[in-house]
Amino acid sequence: MRDDGLLKTEITKLKEEVGAERENIETIDGLVKKQIEREPGLWEYDFDGLGAEMWKRFQTLEKNSDCLSEEQYLPAQRFRAAFLRRLNKFYRVLTTPVSRAILDKKKQFNLDQQDLLNKENIPFFLAMILTLQKIKDRLNVLEEAVNKLGDELEDE
């Protein structure tokens, strides 16, 4: 058997070394030993980049706008499944006047899809706000230029 005292001293020695290494680490770059690249944030995009990002997010939101889960269909290969499909079809024919209520009960609200929409919504609205801010900045620059030209024309 190994000596428990020797094992405990080795563990404490390793803990001290790890603690010393942790204190020496100042940044993640120092830990990884190379520079970490990241995607530019929305605030770093130019006007065209913001527009492209906004439409990309809008396209994702449009594609996934329905948060209802899909109806589950029975497999087509089995005899029992075919019989159940016919029975289900017959049931729907009989309950046509209240079919909307039946379909609503079968479909459930999909929280995962709603979470995806919420995660896409925030950058979409941020891109819209930043685009409007950049338009406002452009208008302010143009207004200053027009006022400057007007003052120069009045002086002449």
Side-chain angles (χ1 to χ4, degrees):
M1 284 193 133
R2 295 180 181 164
D3 187 12
D4 287 340
L6 181 63
L7 189 61
K8 286 181 182 180
T9 56
E10 283 295 321
I11 289 174
T12 55
K13 183 179 165 185
L14 287 174
K15 282 183 181 180
E16 289 173 2
E17 287 178 15
V18 169
E21 285 293 324
R22 276 189 186 166
E23 291 174 5
N24 291 337
I25 297 172
E26 294 177 3
T27 63
I28 293 177
D29 295 339
L31 179 65
V32 178
K33 304 282 194 256
K34 64 178 182 178
Q35 186 177 3
I36 297 174
E37 294 182 18
R38 64 169 179 80
E39 291 185 22
L42 284 177
W43 53 90
E44 296 170 341
Y45 285 145
D46 61 345
F47 191 74
D48 296 329
L50 272 175
E53 183 69 21
M54 187 171 59
W55 285 111
K56 183 181 86 171
R57 300 287 179 161
F58 179 73
Q59 199 173 32
T60 305
L61 288 170
E62 272 297 303
K63 186 172 70 175
N64 299 319
S65 64
D66 189 14
C67 289
L68 295 178
S69 61
E70 294 296 320
E71 224 177 308
Q72 294 183 0
Y73 293 102
L74 299 170
Q77 295 86 8
R78 298 185 181 159
F79 177 73
R80 273 188 264 156
F83 175 72
L84 289 174
R85 270 197 311 279
R86 286 193 180 128
L87 187 64
N88 191 15
K89 188 175 181 182
F90 178 70
Y91 177 71
R92 282 198 180 177
V93 168
L94 289 178
T95 58
T96 307
V98 289
S99 64
R100 183 67 183 155
I102 292 168
L103 288 175
D104 284 343
K105 287 180 186 175
K106 285 187 176 185
K107 290 192 172 191
Q108 298 290 320
F109 191 73
N110 191 345
L111 290 176
D112 293 332
Q113 197 162 358
Q114 182 62 42
D115 186 43
L116 171 76
L117 288 178
N118 290 341
K119 287 179 181 175
E120 289 292 320
N121 252 340
I122 293 169
F124 173 71
F125 287 123
L126 180 61
M128 280 180 37
I129 290 169
L130 290 173
T131 302
L132 292 173
Q133 183 65 39
K134 289 190 182 272
I135 289 172
K136 180 182 165 191
D137 293 343
R138 283 182 175 182
L139 285 175
N140 287 340
V141 168
L142 289 174
E143 185 179 2
E144 287 177 16
V146 167
N147 287 340
K148 194 175 187 181
L149 286 174
D151 292 342
E152 286 177 6
L153 287 176
E154 286 178 5
D155 290 341
E156 291 178 4

